[in-house]
Amino acid sequence: MQRETRIRRGRKRTTEFLIASGTLSATPITEEYEVRIEYRERENPKVFVDRPALARRVEAPDVPIPHMYEANTPGAERPCIFLPGTDWDSTMAIARTILPWFRCWLLDYEVWRATGVWSGGGATHSGPKAEATSP
């Protein structure tokens, strides 16, 4: 994350959590986003784009943004940057996995907004996608 990064760590009952927020861009010349990463013990990290709001393509406003949770609910979408239960587990460092994957997702999003083609690969999303928890 670039510039200011705010990290809040805490404990709710018996679960530890970490919330990190700051600015992130895919490359030095692309849009800068205010983002947040939330991690709770025994769960997969969740990533959010707080500002600017992610937007569907002007040319196809009824087509959801690819690789999102809640893709059919404008304003509630949240990037899907890895396949839960497969790509990430709690032994992996968020800074070495989630953060670079988030940057890649942002670049894929910007290319998709410009071209209508999702070049990032990944699993096909069909309907609501349940999130798995990590072991």
Side-chain angles (χ1 to χ4, degrees), residues 25-37:
S25 61
T27 73
I29 61 169
T30 55
E31 180 84 35
E32 192 169 85
Y33 298 88
E34 289 183 28
V35 299
R36 180 170 29 102
I37 300 171

Side-chain angles (χ1 to χ4, degrees), residues 44-98:
N44 288 308
K46 296 177 182 177
V47 298
F48 302 86
V49 176
D50 293 328
R51 282 185 208 90
L54 297 173
R56 295 177 178 196
R57 297 186 74 238
V58 173
E59 301 84 356
D62 294 334
V63 176
I65 301 167
H67 296 281
M68 299 283 283
Y69 293 106
E70 305 297 332
N72 294 313
T73 309
E77 302 104 334
R78 184 169 58 75
C80 175
I81 63 169
F82 65 94
L83 186 59
T86 302
D87 296 332
W88 189 87
D89 67 58
S90 60
T91 66
M92 303 167 102
I94 290 173
R96 292 193 179 136
T97 55
I98 301 303

Side-chain angles (χ1 to χ4, degrees), residues 8 10-17 40:
R8 188 177 95 201
R11 178 182 284 271
K12 281 189 176 179
R13 296 184 188 159
T14 60
T15 303
E16 291 205 28
F17 66 90
R40 286 173 174 69

